[in-house]
């Protein structure tokens, strides 16, 4: 059986099978919009808006870039209301959307895609995902809301050619498969440029195929790569002392994919190996320093007994995302890490709660302050203070 022992630096895109043919330039089918909010009818069809440019914007309230793009899309709708119709589409529940609208009013029509009919016709893996359809029903662009500028809409209304890069998501991207198409590998480091259509993600614990042997980082900035290698939280505990900080911003030019696969006997060294590889690739040095920083301290409210549900055992699980945190049989560190990621500030746990707990904490992107009240209900508070904490310092070499 052939074995590979390689370090690969690839400059070509990863080929993924199963992508559907592009619909750009096609006549769009007569889309059906169901359970509409902010519209004079509960249902509508694309043909109801004949003579107008139509933008279909797929979004979710937990998707920060989606929410950030909504005011811009709303301003376009107001400016071109005679010639433009923007319809937003979500898979989230009406209950969740009602909460969103209570905190962040939106005048654009909202359609619910519960049967996935719209997302099957315009498949995506990442949000936001936006479609521009001409007055005559032709699909002009498959993009994202931030790229739909005033000039783009003016050209679409005037039947002028618009040129936007097509957003092509790799629907069948499988993070459990090696980046190159090899299945029997002893040791490998693979680095590629940005991969169009693949999600931005990482996995440092391996997977069912390669447990604890593998670090995978897909479409991440150099900053994120260093944070993974040094096992630091994203952004909140990193300091850049470099002449060109723009090189650490996330964009398609800076983003890279990196996969490290080590022998089973060296699984505990995989992060050290990643540090060495970063030193080979970039002209930077990284050090961990203890510094006084502004933080949020997680504490038990004085005179209060926390009402956390003590776990009765079972599997330790944690699910977190834009809608909140659900943890079972887990320590308070899981809660602190979640809050740090959501609030964008280092969170220091001083609760002295050492047990294992079950907890569901709702997070509303449109109303982040609501999390303070939710914590207070269970007898915990977040206080702005200063503490000495470890900081990852990245400098020019």
């Amino acid at each position: 059986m052939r074995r590979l022992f390689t370090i690969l630096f690839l400059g070509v895109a990863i080929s993924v099978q199963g992508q559907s043919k592009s619909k750009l330039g096609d006549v769009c089918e007569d889309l059906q919009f169901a359970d509409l909010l902010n519209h004079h009818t509960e249902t509508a069809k694309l043909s109801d808006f004949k003579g107008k440019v139509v933008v279909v914007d797929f979004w979710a309230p937990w998707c920060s870039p989606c929410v950030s793009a909504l005011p811009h899309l709303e301003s376009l709708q107001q400016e071109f209301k005679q010639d433009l119709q923007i319809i937003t589409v979500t898979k989230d529940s009406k209950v969740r959307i009602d909460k969103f609208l209570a905190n962040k009013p939106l005048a654009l029509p909202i359609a619910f895609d519960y049967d996935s009919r719209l997302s099957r016709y315009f498949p995506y893996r990442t949000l936001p995902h936006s479609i521009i359809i001409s007055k005559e029903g032709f699909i002009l662009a498959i993009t994202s809301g931030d790229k739909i500028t005033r000039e783009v809409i003016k050209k679409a209304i005037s039947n002028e050619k618009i040129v936007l890069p097509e957003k092509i998501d790799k629907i069948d991207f499988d993070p459990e498969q090696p980046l190159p198409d090899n299945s029997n590998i002893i040791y490998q480091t693979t680095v590629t440029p940005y991969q169009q259509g693949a999600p931005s993600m990482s996995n440092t614990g391996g997977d069912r195929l390669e447990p604890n042997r593998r670090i995978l980082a897909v479409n991440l900035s150099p900053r994120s790569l260093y944070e993974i290698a040094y096992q630091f939280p994203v952004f909140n505990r990193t300091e850049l002392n470099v002449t060109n900080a723009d090189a650490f911003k996330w964009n398609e030019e800076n983003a890279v994919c990196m996969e490290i696969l080590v022998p089973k006997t060296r699984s505990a060294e995989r992060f050290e190996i990643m540090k060495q590889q970063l030193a080979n690739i970039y002209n930077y040095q990284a050090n961990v320093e203890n510094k006084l920083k502004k933080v949020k301290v997680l504490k038990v409210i004085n005179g209060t007994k926390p009402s956390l549900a003590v776990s009765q055992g079972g599997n330790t699980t944690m699910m977190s995302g834009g809608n909140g945190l659900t943890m079972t049989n887990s320590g308070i560190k899981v809660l602190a890490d979640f809050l740090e990621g959501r609030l964008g500030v280092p969170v220091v746990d001083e609760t002295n709660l050492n047990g294992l707990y079950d907890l569901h904490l709702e997070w509303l992107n449109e109303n982040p302050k609501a999390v303070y009240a939710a914590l207070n209900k269970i007898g915990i508070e977040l206080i702005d203070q200063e503490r000495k904490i470890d900081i990852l310092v990245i400098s020019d070499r």
Side-chain angles (χ1 to χ4, degrees):
M1 186 178 292
R2 185 170 65 96
R3 295 193 171 201
L4 292 179
F5 188 95
T6 58
I7 297 180
L8 302 177
F9 292 85
L10 306 181
V12 296
I14 302 166
S15 176
V16 176
Q17 301 300 316
Q19 300 304 307
S20 57
K21 175 184 174 295
S22 173
K23 289 186 172 69
L24 278 181
D26 291 354
V27 175
C28 188
E29 73 172 32
D30 198 9
L31 304 174
Q32 309 289 311
F33 303 104
D35 302 312
L36 280 166
L37 297 179
N38 298 338
H39 194 63
H40 62 276
T41 61
E42 291 185 0
T43 62
K45 298 181 296 184
L46 180 63
S47 56
D48 295 337
F49 309 108
K50 189 174 182 180
K52 289 187 175 185
V53 171
V54 175
V55 172
V56 180
D57 182 65
F58 293 89
W59 72 290
W62 45 261
C63 167
S64 296
C66 302
V67 174
S68 298
L70 289 175
H72 167 65
L73 293 176
E74 198 163 21
S75 68
L76 292 177
Q77 180 64 79
Q78 292 170 356
E79 181 176 359
F80 300 104
K81 56 187 174 182
Q82 301 301 324
D83 301 294
L84 173 68
Q85 181 59 63
I86 298 176
I87 299 178
T88 70
V89 179
T90 183
K91 288 178 174 287
D92 282 77
S93 69
K94 190 174 184 300
V95 171
R96 178 66 184 91
I97 296 303
D98 285 342
K99 286 182 181 180
F100 176 88
L101 295 175
N103 291 289
K104 213 172 187 71
L106 178 70
L108 294 173
I110 302 172
F112 292 88
D113 190 30
Y114 295 139
D115 60 4
S116 299
R117 186 177 300 175
L118 294 171
S119 56
R120 280 197 301 269
Y121 189 69
F122 291 117
Y124 59 85
R125 187 180 180 100
T126 60
L127 292 172
H129 189 69
S130 305
I131 318 300
I132 304 177
I133 303 169
S134 74
K135 294 179 180 180
E136 294 77 25
F138 291 95
I139 298 169
L140 299 179
I142 299 174
T143 182
S144 54
D146 61 310
K147 292 182 172 62
I148 302 177
T149 63
R150 183 174 181 272
E151 290 69 29
V152 165
I153 294 300
K154 285 181 69 175
K155 285 185 176 181
I157 290 171
S158 302
N159 289 321
E160 297 178 47
K161 184 178 181 180
I162 61 174
V163 179
L164 287 174
E166 183 178 4
K167 179 176 179 283
I168 305 173
D169 288 358
K170 295 180 178 177
I171 306 302
D172 53 0
F173 175 81
D174 185 354
E176 292 197 353
Q177 296 302 317
L179 289 181
D181 188 18
N182 299 311
S183 58
N184 189 21
I185 301 166
I186 294 176
Y187 177 84
Q188 173 179 288
T189 296
T190 303
V191 181
T192 80
Y194 174 80
Q195 300 300 303
Q196 176 68 39
S200 294
M201 55 83 67
S202 66
N203 182 354
T204 61
D207 48 53
R208 61 184 176 84
L209 298 177
E210 303 292 351
N212 300 320
R213 290 184 57 204
R214 186 175 182 233
I215 296 175
L216 176 67
V218 180
N219 286 348
L220 297 181
S221 68
R223 177 174 183 154
S224 295
L225 296 179
Y226 277 94
E227 289 164 344
I228 290 170
Y230 285 82
Q231 300 178 71
F232 264 70
V234 175
F235 295 122
N236 305 324
R237 300 185 186 223
T238 302
E239 186 177 293
L240 297 178
N241 291 334
V242 296
T243 54
N244 182 19
D246 286 344
F248 286 82
K249 293 180 180 178
W250 191 97
N251 56 45
E252 293 183 7
E253 183 178 346
N254 291 338
V256 298
C257 299
M258 187 172 192
E259 180 183 40
I260 294 175
L261 191 62
V262 302
K264 291 180 181 179
T265 55
R266 300 189 65 187
S267 62
E269 302 172 58
R270 64 190 186 279
F271 292 102
E272 290 301 319
I273 291 171
M274 184 173 183
K275 293 176 188 178
Q276 295 167 14
Q277 297 299 341
L278 290 175
N280 292 335
I281 299 167
Y282 297 111
N283 197 27
Y284 303 111
Q285 60 184 12
N287 297 289
V288 177
E289 301 179 16
N290 196 250
K291 294 190 174 188
L292 186 66
K293 291 289 183 179
K294 292 180 179 179
V295 303
K296 290 188 180 291
V297 176
L298 195 65
K299 289 186 174 182
V300 172
I301 298 173
N302 284 338
T304 300
K305 182 179 180 180
S307 58
L308 282 164
V310 177
S311 177
Q312 301 303 306
N315 293 330
T316 297
T317 63
M318 187 276 287
M319 295 179 59
S320 68
N323 283 330
L325 167 70
T326 299
M327 68 183 207
T328 59
N329 201 36
S330 300
I332 291 300
K333 184 179 185 304
V334 172
L335 172 62
D337 289 347
F338 170 78
L339 291 170
E340 179 163 331
R342 291 287 116 192
L343 296 170
V345 179
V347 173
V348 177
D349 173 26
E350 294 183 3
T351 63
N352 293 318
L353 295 171
N354 300 315
L356 298 175
Y357 306 95
D358 299 339
L359 172 68
H360 174 72
L361 184 71
E362 185 178 53
W363 175 267
L364 303 175
N365 270 346
E366 67 275 14
N367 185 18
K369 291 183 178 179
V371 77
Y372 293 90
L375 290 169
N376 291 165
K377 284 183 180 180
I378 59 175
I380 295 176
E381 61 183 349
L382 273 174
I383 301 173
D384 291 323
Q385 292 189 342
E386 288 188 339
R387 292 288 188 275
K388 274 199 164 186
I389 60 174
D390 284 344
I391 296 294
L392 177 63
V393 180
I394 304 173
S395 308
D396 293 320
R397 190 162 56 192

